[in-house]
Amino acid sequence: MTSTSALVDAAWLRDRLGEVVLLDATVDRHTGPDGGKIFVSGLGLHTERRIPGAHFADLIAGFSDPEAPFDFTCPSPSRIASHARDLGIREDSTVVVYDRLTGAWAARVWWVLRTAGITRVRVLNGGLTVWEAAGLPVADGRESAPTPGDVVARPAGDGFVGLERMKRIADGSDPTPAVCALRRTEYLGTPERPRSGHIPRTTSLPYADLLGPDNTLAHERTARIAGAHGIRAGDGTVLYCGGAINAAGLALALHEIGIDDVLLYDGSLSEWRADPALPLVVGPQEDGAAGSRG
């Protein structure tokens, strides 16, 4: 994996719309009866308003495994390649991904493709927000289906860690640093909310803290915050969140400052919280603390 920038701005994309495979990775979400988040296809939002030339990248059923027990689980190489080909991605394609929120959805597609060996992938910094703020045109409806691509994918396992590795980090037998990319309030949890809090021996660096007011990432801001947090190249830091989406955003931000050896815990808290025997810490993490069972 290279350490060249994965971000492009609206002007760069405007000048190359006809030269790239442009993907809208938007995911829609609703609040369920219990107050929890329900994630659904963003196709309706895509057809309502999109950048001209963009195709819809289905992060729920295409670039995730819809049969997995947890949302947004990385799919098999064959599923990644199949969806990528359907979107017109060829071996020589330059792909640009965007969304209409914080960029984390786009970063997740970037991460899945990149770890599968499809590396000519960029992310529109600030997404649809900056595109519209620049006064650039939008379209509705769907583009005609592209000519199928020929890209291939390799197993994406090198970019992820699983539950057993995360258990070793939590009990201290694996000293690899691990960071939660959720907002600080989510990391801290509350005793009143069952199974809230964070995985033991992990610290907090919210992806949201790295974003400017227009949801853009900036090198200096990321470098300052990551430096204060002690995140360094060479440590192989593991990132997680609720479903490895904000963690992908954090991975993208760190990539931009040359920290390119991070890994994602793919199951994240969706998997960890599902097992009542696994410990969670409520409140700040104390150095060396094993955590309390929640």
Side-chain angles (χ1 to χ4, degrees):
M1 296 182 185
T2 67
S3 58
T4 56
S5 177
L7 295 175
V8 300
D9 60 22
W12 186 98
L13 178 59
R14 176 200 61 206
D15 294 342
R16 295 167 177 81
L17 270 183
E19 304 169 14
V20 303
V21 176
L22 181 59
L23 304 180
D24 180 356
T26 294
V27 172
D28 200 359
R29 61 183 182 182
H30 305 286
T31 301
D34 62 352
K37 297 175 183 176
I38 299 174
F39 298 100
V40 298
S41 170
L43 179 59
L45 294 173
H46 169 78
T47 56
E48 178 183 286
R49 195 172 82 260
R50 60 177 173 80
I51 298 176
H55 296 284
F56 178 64
D58 191 340
L59 190 50
I60 291 179
F63 287 134
S64 298
D65 180 357
E67 305 300 321
F70 306 106
D71 291 339
F72 306 114
T73 299
C74 187
S76 66
S78 61
R79 176 174 287 275
I80 294 171
S82 176
H83 192 44
R85 290 170 187 158
D86 287 346
L87 292 167
I89 300 176
R90 302 184 57 81
E91 286 292 328
D92 60 353
S93 295
T94 295
V95 181
V96 178
V97 194
Y98 75 92
D99 63 42
R100 66 191 59 214
L101 289 176
T102 66
W105 301 116
R108 175 65 186 195
V109 171
W110 167 79
W111 184 264
V112 168
L113 291 175
R114 188 168 176 261
T115 54
I118 305 170
T119 58
R120 296 175 57 141
V121 184
R122 317 287 286 276
V123 173
L124 175 58
N125 197 13
L128 187 62
T129 301
V130 301
W131 181 267
E132 291 186 304
L136 295 168
V138 295
D140 58 15
R142 298 192 71 173
E143 289 286 328
S144 300
T147 301
D150 62 0
V151 75
V152 297
R154 70 184 186 206
D158 288 349
F160 297 95
V161 303
L163 179 61
E164 294 307 311
R165 173 89 183 273
M166 208 64 208
K167 286 180 180 178
R168 295 194 295 273
I169 291 172
D171 69 19
S173 59
D174 183 334
T176 304
V179 177
C180 178
L182 290 173
R183 294 181 184 276
R184 181 72 175 174
T185 53
E186 289 292 309
Y187 170 84
L188 293 173
T190 175
E192 290 74 33
R193 185 155 62 93
R195 301 297 289 161
S196 68
H198 56 275
I199 298 172
R201 293 186 171 86
T202 68
T203 57
S204 170
L205 198 175
Y207 169 62
D209 287 3
L210 302 180
L211 297 173
D214 53 359
N215 285 333
T216 55
L217 292 167
H219 185 282
E220 291 183 359
R221 181 170 55 241
T222 298
R224 173 174 50 80
I225 295 174
H229 194 84
I231 297 180
R232 301 170 301 182
D235 285 349
T237 303
V238 174
L239 311 178
Y240 76 97
C241 55
I245 302 299
N246 281 329
L250 181 53
L252 173 61
L254 295 173
H255 168 85
E256 292 300 297
I257 61 169
I259 301 176
D260 214 28
D261 61 338
V262 300
L263 300 168
L264 266 57
Y265 169 31
D266 203 30
S268 281
L269 286 171
S270 295
E271 179 178 47
W272 191 271
R273 287 171 173 163
D275 184 348
L278 294 176
L280 285 159
V281 175
V282 174
Q285 174 70 64
E286 297 178 3
D287 291 342
S292 60
R293 297 192 176 269

